[in-house]
Every structure is written in C-alpha cells, then in structure tokens.
C-alpha cells in the first residue's frame, strides 16, 4: 500500500483531498470506494484536524471532540447510520458509549437531558409547565434530515425559539448546547445549523467512542487503506497552479507537483482560496475560537459525585457567545467528563487501562485569538496558567465542589490548549473552530474543479464533517471534469 | 448469472440502501429514480456496492447505463460471474 511521505508526481489522481480531518477522511474513503484514484494530504503528522488527539506524559488527550452526537440511529436514513453505511462501517464498529445524563446550567436555572428525548420533555414539563406544549410544537416544527444548504438563510435560531417558547430562560437553556457545539456566528445562530444540532444533541443524543477520537480516526484510515486510497502525513499543500479557471496542479510544501482532475479541500474556504493566491476579505475569518483545560485526576468522577457527561454552563442568566475582549471568557462554557460516558461499571476501561483508575475534567471556554497570539512566549506561559486557574475556578461552581485542595492533591497531569495551538496544528485562520460565518453551503469555489468540504461547507461537529465530506465527494464524483 | 439473478443482485443492493422502499413491483424500463426515492448519492451507493460485492468498476461515463433495471441487467450481466 503506497502510504509513505511522498505521493507520486507521475500519477494523475482522480481526486486529491486536502486535510485529513473528519470531512477529508470521509471524502477520501468515499472516492476510493467508488473506484477513484484518490490521494489524501495532511500537513500535520496526526490526522483528525479539529477533532484530533495528542500524547503527553504517556496519556492520550482528545482535542475537539467532547461527545459524538446523533447517537440514536434507529431510522435507517438517520444521518449517522447513513454516513457509516457509505463509509463501509457499522455502528457497532465505533464502540460507542452512550451518555447517562448531561446538564445545562444557566445561573440558577438548569435542565438535565439524556439520550431519551422524553426525559428532557418531562424535565421541561416539571420546571416550565406552561411551556411544554410550545416545546412539543417547536420540536414538531424542526425540519427533518434536510441539507443545511436548504435551510440556510431562513433566519436565526432565537427568532424560531421565541415563536414557540415564552420563557427567555428556557430559550437560553435550549440554545446554549447547539450554539456552543457549532455556531460559527456570535450571539445567534443560523436556523438550519441550529435545527441540525438540536436534533443531533437533544433528540438523538450524545455518546463517546470508547478509546476516544483515535478509534474513529483509525477506523477511517483503515477503510481508506482497504479501498486502496493513498494518504500522506507531514505533507501540506503550499499553493495551487491555476489555468483557465481550474486548478491544474498542486505544489506541495516540499516542492513536489501533483496532478489531479479534481481537488476537494477541507482546510477552510479562505484557507483554500489563499492557495490559489486569492486574498481573504476582511472579517471573513471566523471569530469563534476556544481554550480548553485538561485536569487528569486519580480516582473516578463518582468520588466527587460528578454524574454528568457534559455540563453547558453560564454564570449569568444569559450565556455569552462572542469573542471575548480579554484572553478567555470563563463565565460561559462547557465541562466534559469523558469517563462519565458508558456503563457505570467498567468506566475505567479507557485508553489508560492497566493503570489505577483515573479520570479527566475538561473545561472549554471562548477565547480571543489575536490576544493570545500577540503574547511573548513567557507571557503566553504565564497567561495559560492564570486562565487555567480562572476557568477551572468558575467551572467548578457548576459541579459538586471538591473539598479544599482535594482535586489539586489528586491531580496527575494538566494541560491546556489555546487558539494559538489550534492555528499551529490545524492552520485554520484565527484559530477559528466553527469556520467562517459566511458558509459556502454548496461548497463551490470560483475554480471549476475545486470544492470545499468540512466546517466551511456547513459540516459542523464530527458527524456533520463526515456527512459534508461524503456529500462533497459524491457531488464531485457525479460532476464532469 | 442469469438476467434474473443480475436483476435480483441489484435489488439486493437497493434493499440495503433504501430498506423502507417496496421493490416488489418495479418496472424494468422506467428509471429507478422515478419509481422509488433514490437520490443521486444513493445511486453512487449502488456503484460502490457493485465494486465491493462483485469487484465491478463502473467508470463515471457509464453511470447513465444504470438508470433502469433493464440497463443494469444489460450492463452488469456480462461482468458478473
């Protein structure tokens, strides 16, 4: 199998896919499954893109993925089932651990949800009895598994929620998870993206692959090898050669020139156009970036009575979702405790099995890319420490607080990533996690044989990215060159 | 394979792609996409399954030949064992 460092400059590829995140991986598998000669290129040495992992001190840390959405896959045409079938995989291959519960905490208000939509509905009926009929009508009014492209531009999520729900607090509670898990726009989100994420999170539910994101990445790489696709890591694209409105060749970082009939790029719309020498318009880069803290501790989450897999939190009665003026916005964010997924027995059988039980606490908050970028190396280290402490202090208000010094005494390892880290490893402009606010819903570019997939085509989250990659590969496979 | 077996092989693939469709009364001459809910991507799934199950590579220029069951039978039968 030709998996080395250098693709063959003498080959005319049917398709070159740029970026081995989930959309790029899925697209490459699909091209290969259709019998196309495909080459997947990734600049970083590790695949996964915005949902990747790294090893540090003998532990594996997931970046990006908290939870996989769309867990309930009963309907054969449900997005995850459909996507997996197209990838030649089955749900069972993923080893998914469902959540027990997750929680949304907004000031004094809270809602708990599980993978049973009736549980959330009961919670709403108990706390907001006057709203439950409106909630049911709202769920009925959500579009089905339509393409985000068809829903795009149909107004904002807040307007839709306000049409069905009187309580501003309830509207905030229901908007917070979809927004934190995928809104490229500040303060309000596109209705189509909201509908897809609301369904994915609340109606289909959350889970985690046992063994973390690596499991999924390896499955996709295995499928790519099985289908005869090629993949190259540490192999970035420096620029495109353009002729008659088409990409005629790709020049790699090492100077090699590749020929391809079609190019599908998952590295971001403007990041892609920059390879063809197109300047990025001001304001086109996304404004949503994150910082995340990791605390690995000995014992289990149950030792602290931490039950929830994910906690979406806001200190105030309105959650904050815009680029902070400072380095981070600790007052709103997401807590994830990966070990709280799966059956309560045997939860320790994660990637760290064989050790004494340990668990981790991840806290994710919005962060300001420019402010992190302009720090000197020394200040960067200091600010990371300061923000780490601040983020954890605020987030612990939303969990049963451990006794003074207990979590610290049990801490085995800590780490943190910032927008600077995201730029370094993904190359996304401004460390943008959900991409440009002006999505390219159709994925087309000014170049006839170049499309974009992934975040900037509207494929948000791991499942969204996979669907975007498959959809884009299909459209390219059906198009004439 | 006989023509009937070839037809059945295609139906088996469609059953997996669109399990909710009733395939019992499909006409051989009317395009499949006019008879059942099958989008162009579902159609590519057929191409993918043919490759996976029978090792048949369908070049993109031949996609049009698979639009009806009759077309599938004529195109695929010589390629099937």
């Amino acid at each position: 199998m030709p998996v080395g460092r250098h693709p063959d400059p003498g080959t005319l590829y049917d398709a070159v896919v740029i970026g081995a995140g989930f959309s790029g991986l899925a697209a490459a598998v699909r091209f290969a499954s259709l019998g196309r000669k495909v080459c997947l290129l990734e600049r970083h040495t590790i695949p996964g893109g915005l949902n990747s992992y790294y090893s540090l001190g003998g532990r594996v840390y997931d970046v990006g993925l908290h939870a996989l959405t769309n867990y309930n896959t009963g309907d054969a045409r449900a997005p995850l089932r459909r996507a997996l079938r197209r990838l030649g995989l089955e749900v069972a291959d993923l080893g998914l651990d469902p959540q027990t519960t997750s929680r949304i905490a907004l000031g004094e208000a809270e809602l708990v949800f599980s993978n049973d939509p009736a549980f959330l509905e009961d919670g709403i009926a108990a706390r907001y009895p006057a709203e439950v009929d409106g909630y049911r009508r709202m769920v009925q009014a959500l579009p089905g598994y339509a393409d985000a492209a068809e829903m795009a531009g149909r107004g904002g999520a807040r307007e839709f929620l306000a049409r069905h729900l009187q309580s501003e607090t309830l509207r905030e509670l229901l908007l917070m998870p979809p927004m934190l898990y995928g809104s490229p726009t500040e303060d309000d989100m596109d209705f189509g993206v909201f509908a897809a994420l609301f369904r994915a999170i609340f109606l289909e539910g959350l889970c985690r692959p046992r063994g973390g994101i690596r499991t999924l990445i390896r499955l996709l790489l295995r499928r790519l090898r099985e289908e005869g696709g090629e993949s190259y890591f540490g192999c970035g694209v420096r620029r495109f050669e353009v002729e008659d409105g088409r990409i005629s060749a790709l020049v790699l970082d090492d100077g090699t020139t590749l020929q391809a009939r079609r190019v599908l790029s998952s590295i971001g719309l403007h990041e892609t156009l920059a390879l063809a020498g197109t300047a990025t318009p001001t304001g086109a880069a996304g404004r949503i970036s994150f910082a995340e803290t990791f605390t690995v501790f000995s014992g289990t989450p149950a030792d602290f009575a931490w039950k929830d897999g994910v906690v979406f939190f806001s200190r105030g009665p309105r959650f904050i979702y815009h680029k902070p003026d400072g380095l981070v916005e600790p007052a709103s964010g997401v807590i994830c405790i990966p070990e709280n997924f799966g059956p309560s027995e045997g939860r320790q059988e994660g990637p760290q099995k064989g050790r004494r039980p340990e668990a981790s606490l991840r806290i994710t908050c919005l962060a300001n890319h420019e402010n992190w970028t302009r720090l000197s190396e020394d200040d960067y280290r200091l600010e990371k420490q300061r923000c780490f402490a601040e983020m954890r202090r605020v987030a612990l208000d939303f969990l049963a607080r451990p006794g003074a010094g207990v979590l610290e005494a049990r801490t085995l390892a800590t780490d943190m990533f910032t927008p600077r880290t995201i730029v370094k490893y993904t190359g996304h402009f401004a460390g943008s996690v959900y991409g440009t606010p002006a999505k390219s819903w159709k994925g087309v570019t000014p170049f006839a044989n170049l499309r974009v997939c992934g975040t900037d085509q509207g494929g948000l989250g791991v499942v969204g990215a996979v669907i975007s990659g498959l959809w884009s590969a299909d459209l390219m496979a059906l198009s004439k060159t | 394979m006989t023509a009937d077996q070839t037809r059945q092989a295609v139906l088996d693939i469609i059953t997996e792609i669109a399990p909710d469709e009733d395939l019992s009364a499909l006409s051989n001459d009317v395009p499949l996409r006019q008879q059942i809910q099958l989008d162009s991507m579902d159609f590519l799934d057929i191409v993918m399954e043919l490759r996976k199950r029978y090792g048949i590579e369908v070049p993109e220029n031949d996609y049009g030949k698979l639009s009806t069951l009759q077309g599938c039978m004529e195109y695929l039968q010589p390629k099937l064992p």
Side-chain angles (χ1 to χ4, degrees):
Chain A
M1 200 60 58
V3 180
R5 290 190 66 79
H6 299 283
D8 177 15
T11 302
L12 171 62
Y13 290 98
D14 289 322
V16 166
V17 179
I18 310 173
F22 277 87
S23 65
L25 281 163
V29 171
R30 181 67 166 177
F31 277 126
S33 305
L34 291 167
R36 307 302 174 89
K37 183 132 193 78
V38 64
C39 173
L40 173 65
L41 303 174
E42 168 60 53
R43 180 170 278 153
H44 188 24
T45 50
I46 300 176
L50 289 162
N51 290 282
S52 189
Y53 63 93
Y54 61 95
S55 299
L56 186 70
R59 291 185 178 83
V60 178
Y61 296 83
D62 277 6
V63 250
L65 179 94
H66 284 164
L68 207 62
T69 57
N70 307 80
Y71 176 71
N72 289 321
T73 50
D75 182 344
R77 294 210 177 205
L80 185 59
R81 277 263 297 266
R82 212 167 178 225
L84 288 175
R85 186 172 47 69
R86 292 196 159 142
L87 292 168
L89 293 169
E90 297 195 13
V91 178
D93 296 333
L94 276 56
L96 297 177
D97 279 333
Q99 69 166 339
T100 307
T101 54
S102 286
R103 186 157 47 93
I104 315 159
L106 183 83
E108 299 297 307
E110 71 170 30
L111 270 182
V112 180
F113 65 99
S114 69
N115 286 352
D116 176 6
F119 179 83
L120 173 63
E121 196 179 301
D122 290 348
I124 292 171
R127 285 163 201 257
Y128 303 91
E131 301 277 10
V132 70
D133 289 335
Y135 173 76
R136 286 190 196 118
R137 278 195 299 274
M138 186 204 90
V139 170
Q140 290 296 315
L142 288 171
Y145 301 129
D147 282 336
E150 285 173 37
M151 304 308 303
R154 293 203 197 170
R158 286 187 187 276
E159 186 201 322
F160 173 74
L161 284 161
R163 240 181 284 149
H164 297 279
L165 302 168
Q166 304 293 314
S167 159
E168 199 174 349
T169 303
L170 181 57
R171 298 200 300 255
E172 291 279 306
L173 285 164
L174 294 173
L175 182 58
M176 193 162 35
M179 215 149 161
L180 279 158
Y181 271 2
S183 177
T185 51
E186 296 172 294
D187 304 311
D188 195 359
M189 72 192 292
D190 182 86
F191 172 61
V193 181
F194 168 79
L197 283 163
F198 186 94
R199 194 174 281 286
I201 296 167
F202 292 120
L203 305 184
E204 301 187 353
L206 305 181
C207 57
R208 273 184 67 83
R210 221 162 291 143
I213 197 70
R214 245 188 342 175
T215 316
L216 298 188
I217 293 172
R218 287 182 177 178
L219 273 173
L220 288 171
L221 284 175
R222 196 193 73 205
R223 289 290 303 126
L224 183 59
R225 280 195 307 275
E226 285 171 356
E227 297 292 349
E230 300 175 27
S231 57
Y232 300 95
F233 294 89
C235 190
V237 177
R238 192 196 299 160
R239 63 183 177 85
F240 294 145
E241 281 178 9
V242 178
E243 231 171 83
D244 301 330
R246 298 170 57 83
I247 308 304
S248 56
L250 301 92
V251 182
L252 307 185
D253 287 340
D254 68 3
T256 312
T257 300
L258 283 192
Q259 315 290 321
R261 298 169 67 207
R262 303 175 172 95
V263 180
L264 179 59
S265 172
S266 67
I267 63 171
L269 174 63
H270 297 290
E271 290 83 343
T272 300
L273 296 179
L275 296 177
T278 311
T280 302
T282 320
R287 292 171 57 82
I288 301 301
S289 190
F290 292 97
E292 183 162 302
T293 71
F294 300 83
T295 304
V296 182
F297 57 92
S298 63
T300 69
D303 299 345
F304 299 122
W306 294 348
K307 300 186 303 251
D308 300 305
V310 180
V311 181
F312 300 89
F313 67 88
S314 164
R315 198 153 53 177
R318 304 283 168 266
F319 74 96
I320 300 166
Y321 193 82
H322 51 249
K323 188 172 182 169
D325 295 329
L327 289 166
V328 294
E329 176 49 80
S332 292
V334 192
I335 299 165
C336 174
I337 302 174
E339 290 74 16
N340 273 348
F341 285 77
S344 48
E345 303 96 58
R347 269 184 186 163
Q348 296 83 336
E349 288 178 41
Q352 345 274 7
K353 79 175 150 198
R355 295 168 184 264
R356 287 187 301 134
E358 53 183 61
S360 49
L361 171 67
R362 294 170 58 179
I363 300 157
T364 314
C365 292
L366 288 166
N368 180 309
H369 165 258
E370 288 78 21
N371 288 352
W372 280 106
T373 304
R374 66 170 70 99
L375 296 172
S376 69
E377 283 303 316
D378 285 347
D379 287 346
Y380 180 65
R381 270 191 298 274
L382 284 171
E383 289 296 346
K384 260 171 85 169
Q385 280 172 20
R386 189 184 62 79
C387 291
F388 182 103
E390 171 81 353
M391 283 165 66
R392 201 166 77 173
R393 188 178 59 75
V394 175
L396 283 174
D397 284 341
F398 299 93
L399 294 171
R401 188 175 281 279
V406 176
L407 182 59
E408 288 75 6
R410 287 200 186 197
T411 297
L412 301 169
T414 59
D415 201 23
M416 180 170 181
F417 74 73
T418 71
R420 206 151 133 169
T421 327
I422 297 170
V423 172
K424 184 175 169 190
Y425 291 108
T426 72
H428 282 288
F429 290 166
S432 160
V433 167
Y434 300 140
T436 178
K439 296 292 173 215
S440 171
W441 299 109
K442 295 187 191 308
V444 292
T445 70
F447 305 97
N449 62 338
L450 172 69
R451 295 186 76 99
V452 294
C453 66
T455 308
D456 280 351
Q457 185 273 309
L460 295 153
V462 171
V463 179
V466 165
I467 291 168
S468 164
L470 291 170
W471 182 78
S472 305
D474 282 358
L475 287 180
M476 285 200 112
L478 289 164
S479 72
K480 299 268 174 278
T481 52
Chain B
M1 273 193 194
T2 64
D4 274 352
Q5 286 168 327
T6 306
R7 185 179 190 275
Q8 192 54 47
V10 174
L11 291 182
D12 287 347
I13 290 173
I14 297 174
T15 305
E16 197 177 305
I17 294 163
D20 43 340
E21 295 285 351
D22 176 12
L23 308 180
S24 57
L26 286 184
S27 151
N28 283 355
D29 308 314
V30 181
L32 282 164
R33 287 177 59 185
Q34 290 176 20
Q35 305 183 71
I36 51 174
Q37 251 201 3
L38 210 60
D39 63 23
S40 53
M41 287 150 200
D42 293 322
F43 169 76
L44 286 179
D45 287 358
I46 300 177
V47 174
M48 187 179 88
E49 288 295 327
L50 287 169
R51 182 170 180 269
K52 194 164 86 185
R53 295 181 184 199
Y54 305 107
I56 297 175
E57 302 278 356
V58 184
E60 53 188 293
N61 289 334
D62 290 347
Y63 285 178
K65 297 178 182 167
L66 301 182
S67 62
T68 62
L69 277 174
Q70 189 61 41
C72 287
M73 281 146 63
E74 284 163 13
Y75 183 79
L76 297 172
Q77 200 186 345
K79 298 176 190 289
L80 282 163

